[in-house]
Amino acid sequence: MRIHCKILTIALCLGVFLLLYFFGGNTADDPPPPPPPPPLLRHTAEDRKLPSFPAASALGKIVSLKVGKPPEAPKQIRRENSRGGNASAKLRKKSEHGQSGLKLPQGEDVMHLAVVACGNRLEETLTMVKSALLFSIKKIRFHIFAEEELKEQFEKELSRWPRPLSSKLQYTLYPITFSVGNAEEWKKLFKPCAAQRLFLPVILKDVDSLLYVDTDVLFLRPMDDIWKFLKAFNSTQLAAMAPEHEIPKIGWYSRFARHPFYGVTGVNSGVMLMNLTRIRSTLFKNSMIASGLSWEDLLHPLYQKYKNHITWGDQDLLNIIFHYNPECLYTFPCQWNYRPDHCMYGSNCKGAEEEGVSILHGNRGVYHDDKQPAFKVVYDSIHDYPVEENLFQSLFYPLQTKFLDTVNTLCGRVPQVFLKQIEKTMKAVFEQKVVRHARLPRRQRR
């Protein structure tokens, strides 16, 4: 018993000794508690709410050392990411249009648009200019060729435009001039002054690329979109036009032409996109001189040879030129030059049925008579639209309502063809103006 008591006493003493030993040793080895972080560091971590980045020890050191001012490394990374995003967007955009042999000037932010107005075409021209300015994104430089008696009227009318349009308007007025041949003969070729378009590469020597349109053309979407076709040109193409017709059996050229023309149905020159630099530097094949002729040297001999066989004047001459030089022409779909021919014999422009009309061409005077009310409704709506008022309330809704009266007409039977693209365009304009500060991810915007 005594032995057991002694052993128990020794064990208890040993346990107390060990407890005292471990407790005292740990206390001596622990470092003093760290001081609380300075107020500036706590404030910086909370208020800056720095974005998370991939693990990088160097970046962590920079952030912890530079306590007094915002760290520079995260900003640099954001800028690099932004540049990378823009580069990716450009690559995607380029892939959409294919490889291009055309190099547009760097920093080119201005689009050039030319129109020729003679006789009673003042109001039509002003309405065309208005439609281009309403929807386009980049700046447009207008080159207006007009008879002397119309110049003053243009300046007077354009000076009255409200600021939303006048602030974006840049234009130059030119006289009607022809560099070769008899000026009066050129002026009376087909419609008054229409042949002026043939001389644009010669007159506008400082312009690289240009969109020419007839006065009876209306933009139902931004001009920027047709301007992008320049990037789709290959290394030999220097102009773009739409076919004159989609169906050879009812096309004019395929049935009645007495001269060479482009392709199966010919092309319509009412909307013509041109790389003027290439046109000026190209020798064009022809049926007169084997070595080829420059654009300026080709026009007058070509006219002299075919003047007794052409019906549509300058358009026929363009068809002859591109008949012998088909590799120089890019053809864009019919919705970019939509005319009564595309609906008066039944709907035959599939692109317009799917996407809507992009550019409306009211030839045959349909804006001013009752032969094709669908065309007239669009023209009147844009002509009468009060610029400073809401696009949907004062332009689209009245246009939509007026179309109800055209559904029993040849072209009015397919109202979505006329309304689809303009509705889409106005939505985009609204979002740009009203929701311009909302930055959605690129994939969502596309």
Coordinates of all heavy atoms in Angstrom, one line a residue, residues 54-62:
P54 N -4.7 36.8 -61.9 CA -4.0 35.5 -61.7 C -2.9 35.6 -60.7 O -2.2 36.7 -60.5 CB -3.5 35.2 -63.1 CG -4.3 36.0 -64.0 CD -4.7 37.2 -63.2
A55 N -2.6 34.5 -60.0 CA -1.6 34.5 -58.9 C -0.3 35.0 -59.5 O 0.2 34.5 -60.4 CB -1.5 33.1 -58.3
A56 N 0.3 36.0 -58.8 CA 1.6 36.5 -59.2 C 2.2 37.2 -58.0 O 1.7 38.2 -57.5 CB 1.4 37.5 -60.4
S57 N 3.3 36.6 -57.6 CA 3.9 37.1 -56.3 C 4.4 38.5 -56.5 O 4.3 39.4 -55.6 CB 5.0 36.2 -55.9 OG 6.0 36.1 -57.0
A58 N 4.9 38.9 -57.7 CA 5.5 40.2 -57.9 C 4.4 41.2 -57.8 O 4.5 42.3 -57.2 CB 6.1 40.3 -59.2
L59 N 3.2 40.9 -58.4 CA 2.1 41.9 -58.3 C 1.6 42.1 -56.9 O 1.4 43.2 -56.4 CB 0.9 41.3 -59.1 CG -0.3 42.2 -59.2 CD1 0.0 43.6 -59.8 CD2 -1.4 41.5 -60.0
G60 N 1.6 41.0 -56.1 CA 1.2 41.1 -54.7 C 2.1 42.0 -53.9 O 1.7 42.8 -53.1
K61 N 3.4 41.9 -54.2 CA 4.4 42.8 -53.5 C 4.2 44.2 -53.8 O 4.3 45.1 -53.0 CB 5.8 42.3 -53.8 CG 6.2 41.0 -53.3 CD 7.6 40.6 -53.7 CE 7.9 39.2 -53.1 NZ 9.3 38.8 -53.6
I62 N 3.9 44.5 -55.1 CA 3.7 45.9 -55.5 C 2.5 46.5 -54.8 O 2.5 47.6 -54.2 CB 3.5 46.0 -57.0 CG1 4.8 45.6 -57.7 CG2 3.0 47.4 -57.4 CD1 4.6 45.5 -59.2

